[in-house]
């Protein structure tokens, strides 16, 4: 078994407690208009062309053992700081067997967390989150039509999984990426709070630099 | 911060102090020195007397700690022609020749007062006269008059009790310290450090608190007033850049008898700096493997302000290293930094910690050219080490005889000069010279690349590679790409780190057994000072893929143009070598964007990173929080900021790789945060 990863970033500060490394898995079933990791959408290997003309290959296949070994090079500081590894993407649930295999190798030594859109079959979702110490669950929109329009998917899938998450008892937080004119009105806030049903919600301010990587893929940021 | 401090701070920022300043033409004094053939010691005293006589007491409204520079120029004591003639006659000088990069022993004088020091000088003078020790007599007479000149200005200021008598309170001690430090600058010394203020001021603070004279808040206010005063005249002090004035303090560590020295005053000093957000004094913090995380967190609160300090020094590495170099254990435990980052024992060290530097990149270039027929990588490395040794030996010869120009006043406030009846320029207990080693990472990356490209992939021969370096790899982009892709120091890659270990082990012993004519040794270090700019000019492209004209990294840090995995790997790589033998000074420097501190636990995480460095045996570390100014500079000079990572939103990126419009947005965002 191998998994496809497009970035391994050390010392990420916004992805959970302690000193962490975040693994970005390549491929995502959604197409959010504001996606800031466009190279994480396709499951295929790609090439990014930097401003200075240099070509950077994007997407590398790892065995669970090799990836765990690479990540655990920092096990000492991760463990002593109460940190660990966060799986992100793309959509890590799209490579759930791989994520579970890596997590199983990591867990005796360091913490594991996941950042997910929640766009996956319920059984897959449950299997993965049950192995996580913490879940960052995206809540991109509260309205099914808007979710279909802006993200290209069915909101019900996500909401069902959020219900599973709450039932699971796994520590979690819901993250709402605020997008101007899409989901950032007062009324939107009320709707999000209602959907959250008591789970902690973090509102992430929109960053206009979200489209920075599109030109490197020869794509245009439409938002 | 109290209203009074806020007002003093605002007016200092507004440069109110400048209205007191005037120009003085010191040329007639110099002409007189030359015409009358006045000796060095006497010139130093007369210069100080003239300077202090020309100073006018000046008071900022609301201040209680006085002494302000009003005369812009400090007298020149020697003409360029005189200095050139001495150099031509075979005398080497460190920089300008005067005492510099030095922290005096302020504590004992603050304790007893200058009147008592005058008595001591008088007693020693009588002895020197009886012994017919002409040099001693000349020094002591000038020392006596220098002290009187300082007292004279204090009297004109109308300051009571201190500096005549010993300080009784924290306030008096701070006033006394201000006077002594100020007098050093007026005597012509520069890069004057303040040393371990949390140690030598602690008895006054402690007595004030215990007697109920001061609350912690009141003590904080007094410290803040003193720290503000350190920023008033600093634009008149000499340095390569504004702010390069050496006004450093050292906090924490252990006492001379080995007990934990981090105390309430250390904490208060950090708090004062955090509130004031001024560039001076620069905080250094001594830590070791027993230092609790909360101390690192307190330090990181300062880092978060983007001040570029504290700079951390690791007692577990530095103290044994100094001992191995012959410093007595009690002295080693009392170390501070000279001014920037070179380790020095205040009062007893007349070390010249930055007398010269060896360019590793230059050494490698020369070695490759001399060994272009080398049959193996090992041969190249051997030739490289041979070249380093040759350069080290040349420096030993060059600095066999160094003269320092006298400073009778700084001698009085240093340990043992009066007792020896000799100016500190003649030597103190420790008289070692420090030698920087520049371009460590570029040299290591270059060796790793040439090993890979020449001896493993065999893309070119060594002599072909050397030719390519002269033309910036013209016509061979494949070689350049391969060089760039080769292992780099800072990625926790043993293929590079093993080379670094060998280089640092070699460098650490390159001066073994060598002495200067003061009996001192040569201390190799990992610092660069400004040499990293100068040394980059002397060489063409490097095998690492560094092109001609690109700078080297400053101090002990990854090459500027290589992507690294992140700060953990950097710390890992840079703590692989045994850093004890290269403990002259020179910090690992890491830059972190201030968005790192947007999350509430950002401070804790950065503190954990520093703790990790210390636990892995790092010697010295500095973290910079990158702010708007740096970002603007990064736009103009991307090559200098290749490692600048910015958190863009859900991802982090290299700032210089973003399109300008995104860069602008981030700059704006940082402005809003500030
Ligand atoms: S779910 Fe995340 S990775 Fe997938 S398209 Fe949306 S923002 Fe991008």
């Amino acid at each position: 078994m191998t998994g496809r990863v497009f970035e391994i970033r050390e010392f990420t500060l916004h992805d959970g407690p302690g000193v962490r490394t975040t693994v970005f898995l390549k491929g995502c079933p959604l197409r959010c208009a504001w996606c800031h990791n466009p190279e994480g959408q396709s499951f295929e290997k790609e090439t990014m062309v930097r401003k200075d003309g240099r070509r950077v290959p994007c997407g590398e296949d790892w065995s669970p053992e090799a990836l765990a070994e690479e990540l655990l090079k920092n096990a000492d500081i991760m463990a002593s700081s109460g940190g660990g590894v966060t799986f992100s993407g793309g959509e890590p649930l799209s490579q759930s067997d791989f994520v579970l295999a890596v997590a199983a190798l990591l867990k005796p030594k360091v913490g594991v967390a996941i950042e997910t859109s929640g766009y996956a079959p319920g059984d897959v979702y449950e299997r993965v989150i049950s192995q996580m110490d913490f879940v960052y669950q995206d809540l991109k929109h509260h309205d099914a039509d808007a979710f279909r329009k802006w993200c290209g998917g069915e909101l019900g899938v996500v909401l069902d999984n959020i219900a599973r998450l709450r039932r699971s008892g796994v520590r979690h937080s819901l993250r709402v990426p605020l997008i101007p004119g899409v989901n950032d009105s007062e009324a939107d806030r009320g709707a999000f709070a209602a959907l959250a049903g008591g789970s902690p919600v973090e509102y992430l301010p929109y960053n206009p630099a979200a489209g920075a990587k599109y030109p490197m893929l020869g794509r245009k940021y439409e938002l | 911060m109290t209203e009074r401090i806020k007002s003093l701070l605002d007016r200092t920022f507004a440069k109110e102090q400048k209205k007191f300043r005037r120009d003085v033409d010191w040329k007639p004094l110099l002409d007189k020195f030359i015409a009358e053939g006045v000796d060095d010691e006497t010139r130093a005293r007369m210069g100080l007397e003239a300077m202090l006589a020309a100073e006018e007491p000046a008071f900022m409204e609301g201040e209680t700690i006085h002494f302000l520079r009003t005369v812009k120029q400090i007298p020149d004591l020697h003409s360029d022609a005189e200095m050139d003639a001495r150099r031509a006659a075979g005398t080497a000088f460190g920089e300008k020749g005067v005492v510099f990069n030095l922290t005096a022993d302020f504590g004992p004088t603050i304790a007893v007062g200058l009147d008592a020091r005058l008595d001591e000088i008088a007693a020693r003078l009588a002895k020197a006269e009886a012994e017919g020790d002409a040099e001693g007599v000349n020094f002591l007479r000038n020392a006596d008059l220098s002290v009187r000149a300082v007292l004279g200005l204090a009297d004109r200021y109308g300051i009571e009790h201190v500096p005549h008598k010993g300080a009784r309170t924290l306030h008096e001690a701070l006033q006394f310290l201000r006077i002594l430090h100020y007098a050093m600058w007026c005597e012509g010394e520069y890069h004057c450090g303040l040393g371990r203020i949390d140690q030598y001021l602690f008895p006054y603070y402690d007595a004030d608190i215990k007697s109920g004279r001061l609350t912690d808040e009141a003590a904080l206010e007094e410290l803040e007033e003193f720290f503000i005063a350190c920023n008033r005249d600093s634009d008149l002090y000499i340095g390569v850049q504004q702010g390069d004035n050496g006004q450093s303090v050292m906090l924490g560590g252990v006492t001379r008898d080995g007990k934990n020295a981090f105390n309430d005053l250390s904490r208060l000093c950090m708090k004062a700096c955090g509130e004031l957000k001024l560039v001076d004094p620069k905080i250094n913090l001594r830590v070791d493997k027993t230092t609790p995380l909360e101390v690192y967190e307190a330090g990181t609160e300062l880092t978060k302000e983007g001040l570029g300090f504290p700079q951390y020094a690791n007692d577990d590495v530095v103290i044994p290293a100094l001992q191995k170099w012959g410093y007595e254990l009690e002295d080693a435990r009392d170390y501070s930094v000279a001014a920037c980052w070179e380790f020095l024992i205040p009062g007893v060290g007349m070390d010249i910690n930055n007398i010269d530097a060896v360019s590793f990149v230059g050494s490698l270039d020369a070695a490759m050219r001399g060994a272009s027929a080398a049959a193996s990588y090992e041969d190249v490395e051997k030739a490289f080490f041979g070249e380093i040794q040759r350069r080290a030996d040349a420096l030993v010869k060059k600095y066999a005889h160094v003269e320092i120009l006298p400073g009778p006043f700084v001698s009085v406030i240093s340990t043992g000069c009066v007792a020896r009846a000799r100016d500190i320029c003649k030597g103190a207990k420790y008289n070692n010279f420090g030698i920087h080693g520049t371009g460590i990472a570029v040299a290591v990356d270059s060796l790793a690349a040439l090993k890979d490209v020449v001896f493993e992939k065999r893309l070119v021969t060594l002599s072909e590679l050397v030719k390519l370096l002269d033309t910036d790899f013209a016509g061979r982009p494949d070689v350049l790409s391969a060089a760039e892709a080769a292992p780099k120091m800072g990625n926790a890659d043993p293929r590079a780190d093993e080379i670094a270990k060998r280089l640092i082990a070699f460098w650490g012993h390159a001066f073994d057994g060598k002495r200067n004519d003061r009996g001192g040794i040569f201390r190799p270090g990992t610092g660069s000072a400004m040499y990293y700019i100068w040394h980059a000019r002397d060489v063409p492209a490097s095998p690492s893929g560094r092109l001609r004209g690109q700078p080297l990294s400053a101090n002990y840090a990854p090459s500027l143009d290589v992507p690294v995995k992140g700060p953990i790997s950097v710390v890992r790589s840079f703590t692989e070598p045994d850093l004890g033998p290269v403990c002259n000074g020179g910090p690992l420097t890491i830059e972190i964007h201030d968005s790192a501190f947007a999350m509430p636990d950002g401070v804790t995480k950065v503190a954990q990173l520093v703790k990790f460095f210390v636990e892995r045996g790092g010697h010295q570390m500095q973290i910079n929080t990158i702010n708007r100014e740096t970002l603007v500079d990064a736009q103009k000079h991307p090559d200098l900021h290749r490692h600048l990572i910015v958190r863009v939103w859900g991802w982090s990126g290299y700032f210089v790789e973003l399109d300008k419009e995104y860069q602008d947005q981030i700059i704006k965002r940082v402005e809003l945060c500030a």
Side-chain angles (χ1 to χ4, degrees):
Chain A
M1 185 203 326
T2 60
R4 191 159 287 171
V5 169
F6 69 91
E7 190 171 4
I8 299 171
R9 188 161 287 279
E10 210 179 67
F11 204 61
T12 45
L13 293 151
H14 302 65
D15 301 337
V19 171
R20 308 193 78 80
T21 295
T22 301
V23 179
F24 294 86
L25 290 135
K26 198 155 163 37
C28 178
L30 296 178
R31 288 293 178 269
C32 306
W34 52 82
C35 180
H36 50 262
N37 281 335
E39 78 277 34
Q41 292 178 344
S42 165
F43 289 90
E44 301 306 315
K45 291 188 182 178
E46 291 170 280
T47 301
M48 294 179 83
V49 183
R50 293 196 328 194
K51 227 175 25 163
D52 59 7
R54 271 185 226 174
R55 300 166 69 79
V56 186
C58 179
E60 203 181 342
D61 293 339
W62 290 80
S63 71
E65 295 73 23
L67 182 59
E69 191 189 324
E70 170 69 20
L71 295 168
L72 287 174
K73 282 182 185 163
N74 290 336
D76 46 3
I77 184 169
M78 286 175 180
S80 68
S81 66
V85 171
T86 301
F87 297 96
S88 182
E91 175 47 66
L93 293 180
S94 297
Q95 302 187 49
S96 59
D97 289 346
F98 177 71
V99 167
L100 284 169
V102 178
L105 294 167
L106 297 178
K107 277 183 73 166
K109 296 199 171 125
V110 301
V112 286
I114 192 166
E115 284 176 323
T116 175
S117 68
Y119 210 72
D123 59 326
V124 169
Y125 188 86
E126 269 176 341
R127 239 192 352 263
V128 175
I129 63 162
S130 69
Q131 297 306 309
M132 295 294 149
D133 301 313
F134 199 92
V135 176
Y136 292 100
Q137 169 64 55
D138 278 355
L139 187 51
K140 297 169 194 290
H141 218 290
H142 51 80
D143 177 82
D145 290 337
F147 190 79
R148 202 173 296 122
K149 173 177 169 202
W150 292 108
C151 302
E154 294 308 316
L155 183 61
V157 176
V158 178
L159 295 183
D160 288 349
N161 280 335
I162 289 177
R164 289 186 179 95
L165 176 58
R166 263 208 302 278
R167 278 201 303 275
S168 72
V170 177
R171 287 176 56 223
H172 63 276
S173 145
L174 304 181
R175 284 183 158 175
V176 177
L178 292 175
I179 313 297
V182 173
N183 64 5
D184 67 339
S185 71
E186 276 302 310
D188 290 323
R189 288 251 179 168
F192 282 127
L195 273 186
S199 291
V201 186
E202 297 168 53
Y203 292 94
L204 310 179
Y206 179 71
N207 191 289
K213 290 198 259 184
Y214 283 73
M216 299 184 211
L217 287 163
R219 287 170 56 181
K220 202 167 164 293
Y221 184 58
E222 302 283 358
L223 204 71
Chain B
M1 193 187 310
T2 64
E3 278 307 312
R4 184 178 72 89
I5 293 298
K6 175 135 196 359
S7 160
L8 278 172
L9 183 62
D10 288 348
R11 284 177 293 123
T12 299
F13 270 129
K15 309 245 178 281
E16 188 186 294
Q17 60 275 18
K18 283 197 172 174
K19 75 177 182 208
F20 299 105
R21 290 190 188 162
R22 66 196 178 91
D23 294 288
V24 170
D25 177 11
W26 293 113
K27 179 127 191 328
L29 184 68
L30 179 58
D31 290 345
K32 181 179 144 83
F33 288 159
I34 297 168
E36 297 176 9
V38 179
D39 68 273
D40 291 345
E41 193 79 59
T42 306
R43 286 189 194 198
R45 182 263 299 172
M46 289 176 73
L48 180 64
E49 283 177 334
M51 180 69 191
L52 297 184
E55 285 282 69
E56 289 294 340
F59 302 91
M60 305 259 295
E61 196 193 315
E63 72 171 17
T64 68
I65 296 172
H66 308 295
F67 265 57
L68 187 67
R69 272 279 293 280
T70 61
V71 172
K72 286 192 214 160
Q73 300 82 4
I74 288 169
D76 277 329
L77 304 178
H78 298 85
S79 68
D80 290 346
E82 286 178 304
M83 292 299 283
D84 288 347
R86 292 192 193 189
R87 286 193 179 98
T91 298
F93 292 99
E95 292 191 9
K96 295 161 66 72
V98 295
V99 173
F100 72 107
N101 244 335
L102 188 101
T103 302
D105 195 11
F106 300 108
T109 296
I110 290 174
V112 301
L114 287 173
D115 286 354
R117 304 306 309 275
L118 283 177
D119 292 345
E120 215 181 296
I121 294 167
R124 187 63 184 84
L125 178 59
K127 188 164 170 257
E129 282 170 340
E131 288 167 351
D133 171 10
E135 188 185 343
V137 168
N138 189 38
F139 162 65
L140 291 163
R141 283 201 181 130
N142 282 308
D144 174 81
L145 291 168
S146 296
V147 172
R148 288 179 196 282
V150 173
L151 286 170
L153 181 58
D155 291 342
R156 282 199 284 138
Y157 262 98
I159 294 169
E160 282 174 18
H161 196 77
V162 293
H164 282 278
K165 306 278 175 264
R168 297 163 301 190
T169 63
L170 178 63
H171 187 268
E172 285 179 353
L174 288 166
Q175 173 65 76
F176 206 149
L177 176 59
R178 172 75 182 149
I179 293 169
L180 297 177
H181 192 237
Y182 159 100
M184 284 177 74
W185 293 100
C186 290
E187 193 174 50
E189 283 93 44
Y190 61 97
H191 281 162
C192 307
L194 289 159
R196 306 184 71 188
I197 58 171
D198 61 342
Q199 304 307 304
Y200 64 80
L201 295 179
F202 185 76
Y204 308 102
Y205 161 81
D206 195 43
D208 282 352
I209 295 286
K210 284 199 175 128
S211 68
R213 268 195 302 274
L214 274 187
T215 60
D216 249 6
E217 292 71 48
L220 178 68
E221 179 170 350
E222 290 182 356
L223 272 180
E224 288 183 340
E225 179 173 356
F226 176 77
F227 286 176
I228 292 172
C230 292
N231 291 272
R232 286 217 187 101
D233 309 329
S234 46
D235 59 316
L236 295 172
Y237 302 156
I238 311 150
V240 178
Q241 295 277 319
Q242 190 63 259
D244 174 27
N245 57 36
Q247 297 192 103
S248 297
V249 305
M250 177 61 89
L251 303 177
V254 293
T255 58
R256 291 180 66 88
D257 52 4
K259 300 208 176 68
N260 178 28
F262 190 86
N263 58 35
D264 289 344
L265 189 56
S266 327
R267 213 175 288 278
L268 221 50
C269 287
M270 287 165 73
K271 188 168 177 198
C273 284
E275 287 193 1
L276 295 172
K277 305 185 194 9
L278 290 165
V279 294
D280 284 305
K282 298 163 216 321
I283 301 283
N284 287 262
L285 183 59
R286 281 174 49 176
V287 289
D288 62 37
K289 60 180 173 310
T290 68
T291 304
L293 185 65
E294 49 115 1
V295 170
Y296 292 100
E297 287 175 333
T300 307
E301 290 289 347
L302 301 182
T303 302
K304 181 180 165 182
E305 299 299 338
L307 298 170
F309 57 65
Q311 175 169 261
Y312 298 88
N314 184 359
D315 281 8
D316 293 331
V317 174
V318 178
I319 293 173
L322 290 171
Q323 266 188 291
K324 274 197 190 137
W325 276 336
Y327 293 81
E328 285 172 23
L329 176 58
E330 289 209 333
D331 288 335
R333 285 176 178 152
D334 207 17
Y335 80 88
S336 179
V337 284
C340 304
W341 29 256
E342 301 94 332
F343 301 117
L344 177 104
I345 321 302
V348 291
M350 185 57 256
D351 303 327
I352 303 181
N353 289 311
N354 56 352
I355 200 156
D356 214 315
V358 167
S359 164
F360 294 136
V361 177
S363 300
L364 178 60
D365 195 69
M368 283 188 302
R369 285 165 206 274
S372 57
S376 69
Y377 167 75
E378 286 68 28
D379 288 349
V380 180
E381 197 178 280
K382 217 169 130 204
F384 171 49
F385 291 166
E387 178 64 22
I388 291 174
Q389 190 63 62
R390 207 185 59 70
R391 292 180 183 215
D393 293 345
L395 290 180
V396 171
K397 233 186 234 132
K398 183 172 171 192
Y399 297 107
H401 179 64
V402 172
E403 269 187 34
I404 303 170
L405 297 170
F409 187 77
V410 68
S411 301
V412 172
I413 57 172
S414 297
T415 314
C417 292
V418 171
R420 287 192 302 272
R422 287 296 179 277
D423 194 289
I424 193 164
C425 74
K426 300 293 180 199
K429 188 170 178 183
Y430 302 108
N431 302 286
N432 303 321
F433 294 163
I435 311 283
H436 302 310
T438 67
I440 291 172
V442 176
V444 168
D445 294 352
S446 291
L447 285 165
L450 81 82
K451 183 170 188 225
D452 186 59
V453 172
V454 176
F455 294 102
E456 282 162 18
K457 296 210 174 74
R458 297 186 180 278
L459 290 179
V460 279
T461 64
L462 186 57
S463 56
E464 285 164 349
L465 179 64
V466 167
K467 280 198 202 98
L468 285 175
L469 299 180
D470 291 329
T471 60
D472 270 352
F473 298 90
R476 291 302 298 271
D478 59 321
V479 177
L480 179 58
S481 303
E484 287 172 342
K488 307 286 178 217
M489 189 177 178
N491 275 320
D493 183 335
R495 291 172 298 171
D497 294 353
E498 288 299 320
I499 296 173
K501 268 158 97 169
R502 290 196 296 272
L503 168 58
I504 285 178
F506 184 85
W507 176 234
H509 295 285
F511 297 93
D512 283 4
K514 304 285 167 39
R515 297 213 166 248
N516 61 37
D517 74 350
R518 298 168 168 250
I521 58 156
F522 292 83
R523 310 188 330 190
T526 49
S528 66
M530 290 304 288
Y531 291 99
Y532 75 100
I533 304 270
W534 299 329
H535 285 169
R537 289 183 194 140
D538 302 339
V539 286
S542 302
S544 61
R546 173 194 150 276
L547 300 180
R548 181 190 293 273
Q550 285 177 1
L552 310 172
S553 43
N555 295 327
Y556 191 52
S559 304
L560 287 171
D561 48 355
V562 309
V564 292
K565 284 194 228 168
I568 308 288
S569 293
V570 169
V571 166
R572 227 176 254 292
S573 273
F574 281 77
T575 50
E576 272 298 307
D578 175 7
L579 294 166
V582 290
C583 244
N584 185 56
L588 169 64
T589 308
I590 286 186
E591 295 181 335
I592 290 192
H593 188 255
D594 57 5
S595 62
F597 297 112
M599 300 292 273
D601 60 351
V603 165
T604 303
K605 293 185 185 190
V606 174
Q608 280 161 333
L609 178 70
V610 181
K611 193 164 189 287
F612 182 60
F613 174 78
V614 170
E615 285 166 353
R616 281 186 53 87
H619 54 347
Q620 193 173 32
M621 181 179 191
Q622 184 191 14
I623 303 189
N624 296 322
T625 299
I626 298 305
N627 51 26
R628 189 188 160 277
E629 262 170 49
T630 316
L631 297 176
V632 172
D633 191 60
Q635 258 187 337
K636 287 192 207 130
H637 310 289
D639 282 344
L640 295 173
H641 299 275
R642 289 272 171 225
H643 288 165
L644 174 53
I645 292 169
V646 288
R647 182 82 184 178
V648 183
W649 181 11
W651 57 282
S652 301
Y654 287 102
F655 180 77
V656 298
E657 290 183 13
L658 301 174
D659 281 331
K660 178 150 188 313
E661 61 176 307
Y662 292 110
Q663 291 181 341
D664 287 345
Q665 276 160 340
I666 290 166
I667 288 169
K668 259 195 219 126
R669 187 179 66 190
V670 172
E671 242 178 340
L672 291 176
C673 291

